[in-house]
Amino acid sequence: MSVDDFDRPRRDAPEQKIDPTVAENQSPSASAQIRHTLRTPLNHIIGYSEMLLEEAGERALDEFVADLQKIRAAGKQLQTLIDDLLDTKTENQTGIPTVGSPGSTPVLFRESRPEQISSTARRAVSEHPTGHLLVIDDNEGNRDMLSRRLQHQGYQVSTAVGGRQGLDFLKTQPVDLILLDVLMPEMDGYDVLKELKTDATTRDIPVIMVSALGEIDSVVRCIEQGAEDYLTKPFDPVLLRARIGACLEKKRLRDQEARYLHELADWNKTLESRVEKQVDQIERLGRLQRFFSPQLAELILAGGAEDPLKTHRRKITVVFLDLRGFTAFAETSEPEEVMDVLHEYHAEMGKLILEHEGTLERFTGDGMMIFFNDPVTVPNPTDRAISMALAMRDQVGTLIAKWRKQGYELDFGVGIAEGYATIGSIGFEGRWDYGAIGTVTNLAARLCGEAQPGQILISQQLLGMVEELIDVAQAGELVLKGFRRPITAYNILGLKT
């Protein structure tokens, strides 16, 4: 393309004759239409001359620069004359200034000089631009000029002929920003903008309105309907790039915020799930700690032991203990006194159970049943049981001395047995207990019932397993309920020295 090409009028362009007196007799909307009609070809002249100037500078075609500058200056001068004519008439008729009228533009929409561009816009201008832009305009020259300029700046650009085609395009492809003309046939920019902002899939896409129409009421209407910005044609290329960059930057921040909120929602769901699991584990741990030591309960939760509530059979050592004279004491004492005694007794016995890693099967008042070797097998379960029983006798001896000073006649007895039992959950939905059933539990309970104050009774069978560990005294042949034959019992005096 040579400079001479601009000197020759286009033969296919229709001759447009505008009588200046027509504007004086037109309504404001008609004046706006006249402005749009007159400014559109001038916008093309100014826009293409600016693009050719940029290209001439890039390709060092200095011989074209002066002529191109003259063309651009002439176009702007003619545009100023048209604006002056139409702006004066419009303001006189309505009292509402146009965007282009001197001294009348609100600060929000006033054309910015390069030094007034915000830091966000400057960054957008200086950085390599990216993004998919959609240009919606019914005028082929407008679409071509704007898309060429934006592609030259590095953007991916799609175009649509009119509002309906633009809306159809958005149903198939996402875009980062829309440049939308205001005055279009069939469906104007206002209607397109309204549909964009009422559709959940497109309402967050920033829209910059571009038009030769410069009335302030048009600007306000577009901004109120949700447009991000409004540019009047022709626009400064640096300002255009800055406004687009600023809009894309804001969209990037909004998209980032949306991603963060989505991630936060996912994290909250994950956190809720983890909290529910942890609460469930804590509740389960609390239930397990009713029977097992904290270490054992945590081991079960961590998967280091089988489910203790699942029915199974295992060889265990059972310890049964209670207070002698407790029934008579409870009948003659106040409930508060009984509770105080039980609190002291349970607290001291509980410490020793945990210390020896025993499993508390149950306690009923003064009676307790503890066993060893389940739910986790332990080395020397019988040795542990005897060691615990001896420590309990010593500790209860201290409590008995205190209780007798208060007038409470109480003492202590223990029964220990060893054998197989069926172990698992006992109860019903909502109230499950952990229990052991078998002859071994009955034997330990019967031996405890026969024990005299301070005695720890064991069977002949158990003595055979630990006779090298303890000193014993024969307690005689005992006839126990539920056993057909008498049981030879022995009282543990203490550990061998």
Side-chain angles (χ1 to χ4, degrees):
M1 177 182 295
S2 67
V3 176
D4 293 337
D5 293 333
F6 288 95
D7 295 330
R8 295 192 300 270
R10 288 177 54 187
R11 295 182 180 180
D12 58 340
E15 182 178 2
Q16 296 183 349
K17 296 182 180 180
I18 302 296
D19 184 353
T21 61
V22 174
E24 297 180 359
N25 301 319
Q26 297 297 320
S27 65
S29 59
S31 296
Q33 185 62 50
I34 293 172
R35 179 195 304 276
H36 184 270
T37 302
L38 293 176
R39 285 173 63 110
T40 296
L42 289 176
N43 292 338
H44 295 169
I45 293 172
I46 296 170
Y48 282 119
S49 64
E50 287 176 345
M51 285 193 290
L52 289 172
L53 278 169
E54 291 177 6
E55 186 174 352
E58 293 171 358
R59 299 172 60 180
L61 301 175
D62 297 336
E63 64 272 21
F64 295 111
V65 171
D67 289 333
L68 289 172
Q69 289 175 340
K70 290 179 182 179
I71 294 171
R72 182 180 62 179
K76 288 187 174 182
Q77 183 178 8
L78 181 55
Q79 186 181 65
T80 301
L81 293 173
I82 293 172
D83 288 341
D84 289 343
L85 174 63
L86 295 178
D87 290 345
T88 301
K89 184 60 181 176
T90 302
E91 185 170 357
N92 289 339
Q93 289 180 340
T94 66
I96 302 177
T98 62
V99 174
S101 60
S104 64
T105 307
V107 175
L108 179 62
F109 307 113
R110 189 172 297 157
E111 293 295 314
S112 304
R113 295 188 300 273
E115 62 271 17
Q116 296 174 321
I117 297 174
S118 67
S119 59
T120 301
R122 285 184 181 277
R123 184 167 64 254
V125 171
S126 61
E127 294 176 354
H128 182 69
T130 58
H132 183 192
L133 313 184
L134 174 63
V135 176
I136 303 177
D137 198 311
D138 64 306
N139 187 283
E140 181 181 359
N142 291 342
R143 294 194 306 273
D144 179 71
M145 181 183 65
L146 190 52
S147 61
R148 283 173 181 264
R149 182 178 293 282
L150 295 174
Q151 287 170 349
H152 183 72
Q153 292 178 356
Y155 294 108
Q156 176 188 350
V157 183
S158 298
T159 60
V161 182
R164 180 54 57 191
Q165 188 180 105
L167 293 173
D168 292 339
F169 178 88
L170 291 170
K171 294 177 182 179
T172 61
Q173 293 191 45
V175 299
D176 298 306
L177 183 140
I178 299 170
L179 292 110
L180 176 62
D181 188 29
V182 175
L183 295 182
M184 294 184 292
E186 296 182 8
M187 189 176 194
D188 62 22
Y190 304 123
D191 294 334
V192 176
L193 183 60
K194 183 177 179 180
E195 285 205 24
L196 288 173
K197 296 306 174 182
T198 54
D199 189 335
T201 61
T202 58
R203 68 163 61 110
D204 293 329
I205 302 175
V207 179
I208 296 179
M209 307 301 290
V210 290
S211 178
L213 191 63
E215 278 82 0
I216 188 65
D217 58 343
S218 177
V219 176
V220 172
R221 180 178 176 184
C222 291
I223 298 300
E224 287 179 342
Q225 286 188 209
E228 198 75 26
D229 210 334
Y230 190 106
L231 289 175
T232 56
K233 304 173 186 176
F235 23 72
D236 182 90
V238 176
L239 182 61
L240 172 66
R241 185 173 179 180
R243 295 274 181 91
I244 291 175
C247 288
L248 290 176
E249 177 68 8
K250 285 191 283 185
K251 181 179 184 297
R252 184 189 68 80
L253 293 175
R254 284 198 298 265
D255 292 345
Q256 186 180 63
E257 180 184 15
R259 287 195 303 271
Y260 288 160
L261 291 174
H262 181 72
E263 291 175 2
L264 182 60
D266 289 342
W267 290 339
N268 284 336
K269 290 180 181 178
T270 303
L271 181 60
E272 288 175 3
S273 176
R274 289 180 179 177
V275 169
E276 288 177 1
K277 290 180 180 178
Q278 288 178 350
V279 169
D280 182 65
Q281 282 192 331
I282 290 172
E283 291 177 350
R284 189 179 177 207
L285 181 62
R287 291 193 298 269
L288 292 174
Q289 285 180 338
R290 294 174 55 194
F291 313 111
F292 315 126
S293 66
Q295 299 90 337
L296 182 54
E298 291 175 2
L299 180 64
I300 293 170
L301 283 181
E306 295 181 1
D307 184 356
L309 300 181
K310 184 178 179 181
T311 301
H312 57 285
R313 182 174 172 81
R314 181 167 292 169
K315 193 173 188 179
I316 59 174
T317 301
V318 180
V319 180
F320 212 103
L321 55 100
D322 66 9
L323 293 175
R324 312 288 92 152
F326 182 79
T327 302
F329 163 70
E331 290 175 352
T332 59
S333 301
E334 295 295 332
E336 291 79 6
E337 295 176 311
V338 176
M339 292 300 293
D340 288 342
V341 167
L342 287 176
H343 285 159
E344 285 185 302
Y345 173 61
H346 289 157
E348 296 302 326
M349 298 303 98
K351 292 177 184 177
L352 294 171
I353 294 171
L354 296 179
E355 181 181 329
H356 291 81
E357 297 184 321
T359 298
L360 176 63
E361 197 265 5
R362 78 171 81 96
F363 59 83
T364 54
D366 63 316
M368 291 188 186
M369 177 177 165
I370 305 104
F371 53 80
F372 293 84
N373 208 42
D374 192 83
V376 176
T377 57
V378 295
N380 305 316
T382 303
D383 295 357
R384 288 172 182 259
I386 292 173
S387 176
M388 182 190 72
L390 290 171
M392 286 179 168
R393 183 168 63 182
D394 293 341
Q395 188 61 42
V396 173
T398 303
L399 294 176
I400 289 172
K402 175 184 175 183
W403 292 335
R404 284 179 178 171
K405 291 180 181 179
Q406 296 173 302
Y408 308 150
E409 294 297 326
L410 298 169
D411 217 307
F412 181 68
V414 180
I416 304 177
E418 185 268 343
Y420 283 94
T422 299
I423 307 168
S425 59
I426 300 174
F428 55 88
E429 191 65 38
R431 182 63 174 88
W432 295 102
D433 279 335
Y434 176 68
I437 298 175
T439 302
V440 62
T441 61
N442 292 336
L443 179 56
R446 301 303 180 205
L447 289 173
C448 177
E450 294 294 329
Q452 297 302 309
Q455 284 189 333
I456 301 174
L457 296 185
I458 63 174
S459 66
Q460 175 73 53
Q461 177 188 6
L462 186 60
L463 177 62
M465 300 172 61
V466 294
E467 57 184 347
E468 296 180 357
L469 177 66
I470 56 176
D471 290 323
V472 298
Q474 188 170 354
E477 298 286 329
L478 303 178
V479 179
L480 304 178
K481 183 179 179 179
F483 293 86
R484 291 186 299 172
R485 296 179 182 179
I487 301 295
T488 302
Y490 294 85
N491 175 38
I492 299 177
L493 302 177
L495 296 175
K496 286 185 175 181
T497 55

